[in-house]
Amino acid sequence: MKTKYPFYEIKYELETVKDVVEVTAKSYRENPVFRFKEGKEIREKTKEEFLHDIQLVGNYYHNLLENGTPIAAPRKTSYDWLISYFAAMYSKNIAVPLHKH
């Protein structure tokens, strides 16, 4: 079967969400990935900053908790919620998303 689209060489083995976050953060460091309002100010985070924040909180979880501990993030969707969710996965724990209605 012929395709209309060219095939591109795969540069990286991406098996987990962690792999995707790390590769995109390293490949597109300065690209903004989030904009959010904090008080009256609009803040922006790059992919590199996003990875750094995840690793920082993930290390905290890793040092504080045993692997496999469920970590709940009971807040509205926000940048802090995303960091908590991804950091749980990074620290080999279980992310439990609790959405506020």
Side-chain angles (χ1 to χ4, degrees), residues 43-75:
R43 302 223 26 228
E44 187 174 89
K45 291 284 188 169
T46 65
K47 291 183 181 196
E48 185 175 48
E49 291 170 325
F50 181 57
L51 176 61
H52 176 266
D53 293 346
I54 291 169
Q55 290 172 332
L56 188 69
V57 176
N59 285 336
Y60 174 76
Y61 288 164
H62 181 73
N63 291 328
L64 184 68
L65 305 167
E66 292 182 31
N67 288 352
T69 301
I71 299 173
R75 25 182 349 189

Side-chain angles (χ1 to χ4, degrees), residues 21-44:
V21 172
E22 288 180 354
V23 166
T24 57
K26 290 174 184 170
S27 300
Y28 307 100
R29 300 172 183 250
E30 299 302 318
N31 290 23
V33 68
F34 294 105
R35 284 194 184 101
F36 54 94
K37 192 170 184 179
E38 196 171 73
K40 293 183 178 183
E41 184 180 335
I42 301 292
R43 302 223 26 228
E44 187 174 89

